[in-house]
Amino acid sequence: MRLITDSGPSRQEHLDVHGPLPELGGAQLLDLVDAAGLLGRGGAGFPTGRKMRTVAAGRRPVVLGNACEGEPASSKDELLLGRHPHLVLDGLQVAARAVGARELHLAVHRDSAARGALDKALRERRETVTVHDVPGRYVASEESALINLINNGVAKPMFTPPRPFERGIGGRPTLVSNAETLAHLALIARHGADWYRSVGDPDEPGTALVTVSGPGVRHVVEVPTGWSVGALLTQAGLTDLQAVLVGGYFGTWIPAEQARGLALTHRDLKAAGGALGAGIVIGLPAGSCGVLETARVAAYLAAENAGQCGPCLNGLPAIAGAVHRLAVGPWNDRSMADLDRWLGVVAGRGACRHPDGAVRFVLSALNVFDEDVDRHRRGRPCAGVHAAAVLPVPRPPVPGRAA
Amino acid sequence: MRVRVNPIECTAQGLCAEVFPEWIALDEWGYPAVDGQPVPEQLVKEARRAAAACPVLALKLSQD
């Protein structure tokens, strides 16, 4: 595969496998990235070339690599940084050259297991990269939160506009790119646009890293874009499933049979009412309780609000509390009207997309697990409430209360 | 002109909704929900009064 190889992390091993990074000019690189059709791999899937051109047009731009990986169910960026740091760092260099930036920054989760490998790789290189340690909170790795941390020491999202590409680090236009996006850039600079487009979906080409999880399963695979979700699940041994969560905790639940037939592209998943997000696929076995799993994650998302915006800091704990009571009781069915109201009134009213993602996630659960929801509402929870937890949640939050 | 709340600055004091109830309603926690559509000409004066009424200047007016 392209990004994930048997190569060790040292610079020499990296160069042995991939060859040297060619010295291409900024304008040449911009054309190259446009032609390759690279889409950002941090979740939004925005065309990288277009983002770069906007930043390149600004005064004294800077680049910021985002290797924070706030999603608990994602491991791809940590894997890249730990095993192939020079791919990420080459990509950062390429991005800087493309936009005309003289300053390179990299944001990493404070407790990342890959930090040692990153530091070692930096010592093997000549360019200066300022590494920023980011607290492991869910919203801390949001792009405006990274800028806020770097500028003001506060890892909380900011009100936008202006977005980082307009005014970011030190008020300068800042290109924020996911670690995997940077890794692809490192190879596009070497092998060109045609090479990049030679695999994957014609409209969203290349390969993508996907973290696949389920009972007893947690691994990262590199697949051509457009790969079948069903093939991913079968390869992982995840067979007896009731539903699949695609896109992480801001993503959506999809019934297992429907999910198996979907292709891993932004386009396909959007058409199915979902999203690709940062390439996260979680299989929920038939014996689990979708409502309880959703309640646990909703509580986590509620506890992870930044405490800045009223609708989110009030609404998410209320939503999480209701879903928890629906899952394990005590449930008063009048609460359903409250839950519906909260789910309708919170999205779009925060400074960042945290409440929107949480709402989308919970709404998809109520939709996909509708039969189970009905049973729970009538006071007959399924046996799945006793099953082992499947969705990874970093620390046990208290449902109904914000951190 | 459009009206937007900066939800980080907003402390739910509610004066905006009092001044401009045609456009701004308070949710159950006292936070404003604002219509995102362009403000019609005859309500622009109210919009300006609402923005001026906010003690923390969280209500923003944009010319688009």
Side-chain angles (χ1 to χ4, degrees):
Chain A
M1 268 283 104
R2 295 175 164 190
L3 300 184
I4 301 182
T5 62
D6 288 330
S7 161
S10 77
R11 183 137 203 275
Q12 193 51 56
E13 289 167 291
H14 165 74
L15 291 173
D16 286 344
V17 170
H18 296 291
L21 192 60
E23 293 277 328
L24 298 172
Q28 207 176 351
L29 282 169
L30 287 174
D31 287 342
L32 193 53
V33 179
D34 272 342
L38 174 66
L39 301 181
R41 295 281 196 260
F46 195 81
T48 305
R50 212 190 311 167
K51 204 177 187 184
M52 283 179 158
R53 281 190 195 278
T54 311
V55 173
R59 262 193 86 241
R60 299 175 61 229
V62 301
V63 293
L64 170 61
N66 188 356
C68 286
E69 196 153 53
E71 280 271 359
S74 182
S75 309
K76 69 181 180 76
D77 296 336
E78 185 166 85
L79 180 138
L80 267 180
L81 204 59
R83 279 178 52 176
H84 306 294
H86 288 287
L87 267 183
V88 178
L89 294 169
D90 276 0
L92 196 59
Q93 219 182 317
V94 169
R97 223 178 279 154
V99 304
R102 303 258 196 84
E103 259 182 49
L104 283 66
H105 299 256
L106 185 66
V108 183
H109 181 0
R110 171 173 291 158
D111 300 316
S112 172
R115 191 53 196 273
L118 170 65
D119 290 338
K120 194 147 179 256
L122 284 169
R123 285 195 292 274
E124 291 176 310
R125 300 174 73 97
R126 263 184 283 160
E127 74 269 22
T128 306
V129 177
T130 307
V131 179
H132 303 276
D133 287 302
V134 181
R137 304 303 299 273
Y138 194 68
V139 296
S141 55
E142 193 263 352
E143 62 172 22
S144 75
L146 292 179
I147 303 300
N148 201 5
L149 176 66
I150 294 169
N151 286 350
N152 311 309
V154 179
K156 294 185 176 188
M158 296 190 289
F159 183 58
T160 56
R163 302 271 305 281
F165 69 81
E166 300 167 274
R167 274 215 309 272
I169 297 176
R172 294 152 71 171
T174 304
L175 178 76
V176 184
S177 271
N178 172 262
E180 187 194 335
T181 311
L182 296 176
H184 287 291
L185 269 180
L187 297 184
I188 290 171
R190 284 168 165 88
H191 306 299
D194 289 341
W195 167 86
Y196 184 73
R197 300 192 77 99
S198 67
V199 307
D201 183 273
D203 296 317
E204 306 177 19
T207 58
L209 299 184
V210 183
T211 311
V212 185
S213 302
V217 172
R218 173 68 173 256
H219 61 231
V220 177
V221 290
E222 182 176 11
V223 294
T225 55
W227 198 251
S228 140
V229 173
L232 263 187
L233 296 169
T234 305
Q235 182 198 19
L238 294 169
T239 45
D240 187 27
L241 301 176
Q242 56 173 300
V244 181
L245 180 61
V246 182
Y249 295 161
F250 278 4
T252 50
W253 288 106
I254 301 178
E257 272 328 291
Q258 185 189 356
R260 285 190 188 282
L262 295 175
L264 282 163
T265 60
H266 294 276
R267 179 191 65 240
D268 238 61
L269 289 165
K270 196 160 167 211
L276 180 56
I280 297 165
V281 173
I282 309 175
L284 187 72
S288 289
C289 176
V291 181
L292 181 56
E293 292 284 341
T294 300
R296 287 175 51 250
V297 171
Y300 166 73
L301 294 175
E304 288 294 301
N305 84 80
Q308 306 190 109
C309 305
C312 180
L313 83 93
N314 286 287
L316 292 200
I319 290 167
V323 181
H324 179 84
R325 288 192 303 280
L326 180 63
V328 298
W331 175 255
N332 179 329
D333 207 53
R334 285 201 302 269
S335 300
M336 195 44 107
D338 290 331
L339 180 56
D340 284 337
R341 184 179 70 253
W342 293 325
L343 288 168
V345 93
V346 160
R349 295 178 60 220
C352 72
R353 301 278 75 80
H354 185 71
D356 305 42
V359 164
R360 171 157 81 174
F361 169 70
V362 172
L363 278 174
S364 73
L366 297 179
N367 179 35
V368 169
F369 304 117
D370 55 350
E371 287 175 14
D372 202 25
V373 168
D374 277 340
R375 275 196 293 270
H376 282 257
R377 284 178 75 174
R378 280 180 274 126
R380 295 201 167 108
C382 57
V385 295
H386 304 295
V390 174
L391 269 51
V393 169
R395 60 184 161 270
V398 178
R401 271 199 256 138
Chain B
M1 171 194 284
R2 285 177 208 265
V3 178
R4 252 187 107 192
V5 180
N6 180 335
I8 297 176
E9 304 283 310
C10 176
T11 52
Q13 308 217 24
L15 285 99
C16 57
E18 226 174 270
V19 165
F20 198 7
E22 300 92 331
W23 212 252
I24 304 171
L26 297 182
D27 67 20
E28 65 205 83
W29 305 294
Y31 290 88
V34 172
D35 190 327
Q37 296 300 302
V39 179
E41 194 51 51
Q42 67 270 24
L43 290 177
V44 163
K45 204 165 89 172
E46 265 69 30
R48 290 194 202 284
R49 284 181 58 223
C54 178
V56 297
L57 300 177
L59 200 74
K60 316 285 185 193
L61 303 174
S62 64
Q63 290 309 325
D64 60 327

